[in-house]
Amino acid sequence: MKIRSPKNLEKIAELQFEIGMAFYHSRDFLSSLHYHQEAGNNFLTTNNFAKYGECLHNMGNISYFLGETESAIDYYFKSIAQREKIEDSKGLATSYNNLANVYNRQGNYVEALDYYEKSIAIKEILDDQKGIASSLKNIASIHYFRDNYVAALEINFKALRISESLRDSMGISFVYNNIALIYEKQEKLNEALDYYQRSLSIKEASGDEQGMATTLNNMGSLYQKIGNNALALQILQRAINISEKIGDKESISAVLNNMASVIEEMGQSEKALELFLQSQKIDEEIGNKRGMLLSITSLSNIHFNLGNNQISMLYAKEGIELAEQLNSKTELRDLNALISKNYEALGDFRSALRHNQLSQAYADSVFNQEIERKTARIEAEYEYDKKLSILQAEQKALELENEKEIQRQTFQKRMLLLAFMGILLISWVIFINYKKQKKAKQLLEIKTAELEQANQVKSKLFSIIGHDLRGPIASLYMLLGLYRKEQMKDSEFRSLAPELYKNVGAIMETLNNLLRWSMGEMKMVRTDPRPTFLYEKIEELREFFSTLIAQKQLNLTNQVPDHLQVLIDPNHLELILRNLLSNAIKYSHNQGNITVSSQENEDTIVIAVKDDGIGMDEIETKAVFNKHLAQSKRGTSGEQGTGLGLNLSQLYVEQNGGKIWIESEKDKGSTFYFELKKSLEGSPEPSEISL
């Protein structure tokens, strides 16, 4: 039996980890858990304790999504112990936060708050403002569930200030959702709907399906309160479609509960009862005590409406025990009121009165008025802070402008003094004049060289327009003329159509490259970096180049992992890859090989586009990325190039904070490398509230 070396075992563990993450992103949690367990054991064997701790943390996340609460807690504690040993502060803060999420779901608010605060303490040391805002939103959710709406609103606005300062659209959308829930509790339905719509718009734009399901569920519940049951069901159906697609059990349960409530209101009690029971079963499976309480309250209410008073009271009493654990005054009020109604229906008026009094004790008559007053104060402080920030920024700009003016005046005075001294010292004037003439001569030489370069660029552009564009367009014009004059048969025209389409496509690509190149020369290129999947872009371009690949019988291999993301403007990535693949196809021999691969570093990813074609010598290689239009040569099948593509690729790579280079050998092929920032996908830290 062959013994694996530590180096080989480390590589195997890395591969297992990547496969586990790929299954995680595709929400195949059981497969992900298996590969994370295998990777974790191998990392532990090779003493890679940082990756071992990360595996434990990820297994906690997976268990959380599978509804295995105790397993999630166990994995998080193991991850915390490991990360404390190696002093991994960032990882420790994440594990604390996610452990608190589990306790939050269980309704163990004391433990949840403790671990959220521990997470925030570390994030403040690391100045992780985004992480601080995430934990603040989670703390606000606890105050919401404990009916402390003033504290919930105040902390949400604090998180909103941070998210706005970071321009974190995802974080802003979460806060909007949570603020809407608080307004809904205050019966401010129009304000609540406005915040839900703001939240949903951001989530739809960013493709956040889990967030979309949460906000759609809340909107459906709101439309039921407004009285539009048809629209409520329509929105809730959309929410449950998304939740089932991504396998989010907690969201599925919440939507089922709201759908049951709407259906019951429409008079379909039996169907509603069935949905309430489904919701309760899911919440019991995943240990979601808040969801269980909601379902139990709904089941008690529906049995009361059906006249099943004894069953209704059993559910209500079970709900009271759970509500007392969660310290949920709203449910305690409602459940005691239900028990009172049941006793009244059974003729036990003494018990009915007692529970009615308990219900009234939980209903604070001035509760909503106090919320109104404090909410107005918080909103006023928020608007004041925004205006104060603007005023401070304007004052800072004014002070900088004044400082520049003082510096300019001081500079002028010094120059005048220097000029006066120069007049007194003629010899120095002559010397200075000589130096200026010398400098002017050097500047003239530089400008002459730049002008010569500009003339070369101009000649190159005229060559492109006059030959690469004029020739194909002239051929197209002549061909269409023959067809128009009926000097060419339909069958002949159709036989030439594929070649015609290819030529027009080449013209369009040349024109597009000319436009992009001119925008780059005029400094008009704008970039909007965002997380972008590499694998998908390469596969899209495989389809785009399928005809050319088939014509040359090339083998294009995509070795990039499908979960790998880079931080780049997606349009720029498409242009870079398209030009590099076009170059590889152009200079590859028939039946040649083209490989696209990647190397993942700590903060960056290096992508390589390799071919085994004609290659370049050392002089040609050095001239490729010299910031000027490169001289293009024909491809192996006579393909004509403009030299713009590689120039544009360099421009867009650098615009996105990366770098590009080439390795090539004559008759052995070329490899183009470009390095981009890695997009780091975080763990599921943020926690939104769902009714």
Side-chain angles (χ1 to χ4, degrees):
M1 179 178 177
K2 186 177 179 181
I3 300 174
R4 292 173 177 168
S5 68
K7 187 175 181 181
N8 288 337
L9 193 59
E10 182 82 10
K11 289 180 179 179
I12 292 169
E14 288 285 356
L15 182 60
Q16 289 168 332
F17 182 83
E18 289 177 9
I19 295 171
M21 287 304 297
F23 279 121
Y24 179 86
H25 290 303
S26 65
R27 303 189 76 84
D28 184 350
F29 294 125
L30 291 175
S31 298
S32 181
L33 182 63
H34 168 74
Y35 279 100
H36 272 95
Q37 288 170 335
E38 293 289 328
N41 291 334
N42 288 331
F43 281 131
L44 184 60
T45 302
T46 59
N47 296 327
N48 189 337
F49 301 118
K51 293 295 286 187
Y52 176 57
E54 189 175 354
C55 285
L56 290 169
H57 176 83
N58 289 353
M59 286 189 279
N61 293 342
I62 294 165
S63 298
Y64 177 85
F65 285 124
L66 289 171
E68 297 172 358
T69 305
E70 296 305 321
S71 293
I73 292 173
D74 182 55
Y75 281 126
Y76 285 138
F77 270 123
K78 287 179 180 177
S79 174
I80 287 168
Q82 189 62 44
R83 287 172 163 177
E84 283 176 340
K85 286 180 185 177
I86 62 175
E87 298 181 349
D88 177 9
S89 299
K90 186 176 180 181
L92 198 58
T94 305
S95 292
Y96 281 150
N97 185 87
N98 289 13
L99 176 60
N101 284 344
V102 182
Y103 285 129
N104 193 350
R105 173 189 275 182
Q106 286 185 320
N108 189 345
Y109 298 134
V110 174
E111 291 287 347
L113 284 171
D114 180 48
Y115 282 104
Y116 282 139
E117 292 294 348
K118 286 182 179 179
S119 178
I120 288 176
I122 296 173
K123 290 170 181 175
E124 286 176 342
I125 295 171
L126 299 174
D127 194 26
D128 179 10
Q129 293 298 310
K130 187 173 182 180
I132 292 170
S134 171
S135 293
L136 285 172
K137 291 188 287 259
N138 294 337
I139 291 172
S141 73
I142 291 177
H143 288 297
Y144 172 85
F145 289 124
R146 298 175 82 171
D147 302 327
N148 191 349
Y149 303 130
V150 174
L153 192 62
E154 192 166 10
I155 294 171
N156 270 314
F157 272 119
K158 186 176 180 181
L160 181 58
R161 292 188 189 99
I162 297 173
S163 296
E164 286 181 335
S165 69
L166 298 173
R167 296 183 180 179
D168 176 17
S169 59
M170 191 74 73
I172 292 169
S173 73
F174 286 173
V175 179
Y176 283 165
N177 177 84
N178 295 352
I179 291 173
L181 282 165
I182 297 169
Y183 281 134
E184 188 175 341
K185 284 287 185 181
Q186 299 173 244
E187 300 300 323
K188 292 183 176 181
L189 302 186
N190 289 331
E191 290 89 337
L193 184 59
D194 177 55
Y195 272 101
Y196 281 141
Q197 288 170 337
R198 289 191 208 179
S199 177
L200 184 61
S201 296
I202 296 172
K203 290 167 180 174
E204 287 177 333
S206 60
D208 175 21
E209 291 185 319
Q210 189 171 17
M212 287 165 60
T214 298
T215 299
L216 285 167
N217 181 42
N218 293 342
M219 287 177 70
S221 176
L222 179 62
Y223 275 113
Q224 182 192 6
K225 289 182 180 178
I226 294 172
N228 193 340
N229 287 333
L231 183 55
L233 275 181
Q234 182 182 339
I235 291 173
L236 290 170
Q237 186 61 54
R238 185 181 169 196
I240 203 165
N241 288 343
I242 296 172
S243 299
E244 288 176 344
K245 174 187 171 185
I246 63 177
D248 186 345
K249 291 184 178 181
E250 187 171 359
S251 180
I252 292 170
S253 170
V255 180
L256 285 172
N257 196 292
N258 281 338
M259 290 182 80
S261 180
V262 176
I263 290 169
E264 181 189 7
E265 196 170 282
M266 295 171 70
Q268 302 177 41
S269 299
E270 294 298 330
K271 186 176 179 181
L273 183 61
E274 181 183 341
L275 294 177
F276 281 134
L277 288 169
Q278 287 181 28
S279 175
Q280 182 193 21
K281 183 179 179 182
I282 293 172
D283 287 323
E284 286 176 347
E285 287 176 0
I286 64 176
N288 182 9
K289 290 187 177 181
R290 285 194 301 268
M292 290 164 60
L293 177 57
L294 192 62
S295 296
I296 288 168
T297 303
S298 299
L299 286 165
S300 177
N301 190 68
I302 196 170
H303 278 294
F304 171 76
N305 293 335
L306 291 170
N308 302 328
N309 302 109
Q310 295 292 350
I311 298 175
S312 175
M313 282 201 293
L314 285 174
Y315 275 116
K317 288 176 181 178
E318 182 184 353
I320 284 174
E321 290 181 11
L322 196 53
E324 286 174 344
Q325 292 177 31
L326 300 176
N327 192 27
S328 181
K329 295 182 179 63
T330 302
E331 276 71 21
L332 286 168
R333 178 197 64 195
D334 295 342
L335 289 165
N336 274 291
L338 264 174
I339 292 175
S340 176
K341 291 178 183 178
N342 278 299
Y343 275 126
E344 185 179 348
L346 293 169
D348 187 346
F349 299 108
R350 185 182 298 276
S351 297
L353 178 61
R354 179 165 57 85
H355 282 280
N356 183 61
Q357 290 171 337
L358 284 171
S359 176
Q360 291 300 318
Y362 288 111
D364 185 356
S365 60
V366 295
F367 185 65
N368 284 332
Q369 292 179 3
E370 181 67 6
I371 292 175
E372 290 279 353
R373 183 177 65 80
K374 293 188 178 181
T375 299
R377 174 180 62 80
I378 293 166
E379 290 178 328
E381 287 177 356
Y382 171 66
E383 291 300 325
Y384 171 78
D385 284 352
K386 285 180 70 175
K387 290 177 182 177
L388 182 61
S389 297
I390 294 169
L391 288 172
Q392 288 174 339
E394 290 175 348
Q395 182 64 30
K396 183 77 172 177
L398 183 61
E399 289 172 357
L400 288 172
E401 191 63 33
N402 290 337
E403 187 178 340
K404 287 181 181 178
E405 180 62 23
I406 292 170
Q407 290 176 351
R408 187 181 66 81
Q409 291 176 1
T410 303
F411 177 76
Q412 286 178 342
K413 289 177 182 178
R414 289 175 179 172
M415 289 301 295
L416 286 171
L417 180 61
L418 186 62
F420 178 74
M421 292 175 64
I423 293 171
L424 297 177
L425 301 169
I426 301 299
S427 59
W428 280 103
V429 172
I430 295 171
F431 176 73
I432 291 170
N433 187 53
Y434 166 75
K435 295 290 288 183
K436 285 183 178 179
Q437 287 179 353
K438 184 178 179 181
K439 187 176 180 180
K441 182 180 178 182
Q442 291 173 343
L443 183 61
L444 180 61
E445 290 174 352
I446 292 170
K447 292 294 183 183
T448 302
E450 289 178 352
L451 181 60
E452 184 178 348
Q453 182 63 46
N455 283 331
Q456 291 177 4
V457 172
K458 182 187 70 174
S459 300
K460 176 65 176 176
L461 289 175
F462 278 127
S463 172
I464 292 170
I465 296 169
H467 183 271
D468 298 337
L469 295 180
R470 187 175 179 277
I473 291 174
S475 299
L476 174 61
Y477 181 78
M478 181 187 71
L479 184 65
L480 293 173
L482 291 172
Y483 184 74
R484 180 173 172 271
K485 294 175 183 178
E486 299 183 352
Q487 295 177 358
M488 177 182 287
K489 296 178 182 179
D490 286 351
S491 59
E492 292 175 326
F493 185 81
R494 281 195 297 271
S495 68
L496 293 172
E499 186 67 23
L500 184 63
Y501 177 79
K502 175 183 173 184
N503 289 339
V504 173
I507 293 169
M508 286 298 298
E509 187 63 23
T510 300
L511 285 171
N512 285 334
N513 280 343
L514 276 171
L515 177 60
R516 295 187 187 102
W517 179 84
S518 63
M519 289 177 68
E521 289 295 302
M522 292 186 286
K523 313 298 182 186
M524 292 173 62
V525 174
R526 297 290 182 268
T527 182
D528 180 19
R530 63 184 70 171
T532 306
F533 284 102
L534 270 170
Y535 182 88
E536 293 178 1
K537 285 292 182 188
I538 296 165
E539 290 304 308
E540 289 172 8
L541 289 170
R542 182 200 296 276
E543 179 64 24
F544 179 79
F545 286 119
S546 58
T547 302
L548 295 176
I549 292 171
Q551 287 175 352
K552 283 194 169 185
Q553 297 180 325
L554 301 175
N555 178 30
L556 173 58
T557 304
N558 181 2
Q559 295 180 349
V560 175
D562 60 3
H563 69 274
L564 210 59
Q565 295 186 78
V566 290
L567 193 63
I568 188 175
D569 189 309
N571 294 325
H572 292 181
L573 178 61
E574 182 177 347
L575 181 138
I576 294 162
L577 287 170
R578 186 167 70 240
N579 280 313
L580 295 183
L581 285 171
S582 174
N583 212 57
I585 292 168
K586 185 188 302 180
Y587 298 116
S588 288
H589 300 292
N590 287 348
Q591 298 182 345
N593 297 299
I594 299 172
T595 305
V596 185
S597 60
S598 62
Q599 177 181 332
E600 190 172 359
N601 301 321
E602 183 176 356
D603 299 314
T604 63
I605 295 172
V606 177
I607 303 98
V609 180
K610 180 180 180 182
D611 65 72
D612 55 6
I614 61 176
M616 291 179 278
D617 57 30
E618 186 176 351
I619 296 174
E620 290 175 314
T621 302
K622 288 181 178 179
V624 169
F625 295 123
N626 61 1
K627 298 289 185 180
H628 301 297
L629 286 176
Q631 183 65 39
S632 178
K633 58 184 178 181
R634 291 187 177 273
T636 54
S637 296
E639 301 99 326
Q640 178 63 41
T642 64
L644 287 170
L646 294 178
N647 185 274
L648 283 168
S649 297
Q650 180 184 18
L651 171 66
Y652 284 127
V653 168
E654 292 174 353
Q655 281 287 323
N656 285 272
K659 59 182 179 180
I660 187 168
W661 67 97
I662 180 176
E663 293 179 0
S664 185
E665 189 175 348
K666 192 73 172 177
D667 299 324
K668 292 188 178 180
S670 303
T671 304
F672 284 85
Y673 299 92
F674 62 101
E675 185 176 35
L676 297 170
K677 294 177 183 176
K678 183 194 295 185
S679 173
L680 299 176
E681 287 288 336
S683 299
E685 288 200 28
S687 173
E688 284 190 277
I689 309 168
S690 179
L691 284 176

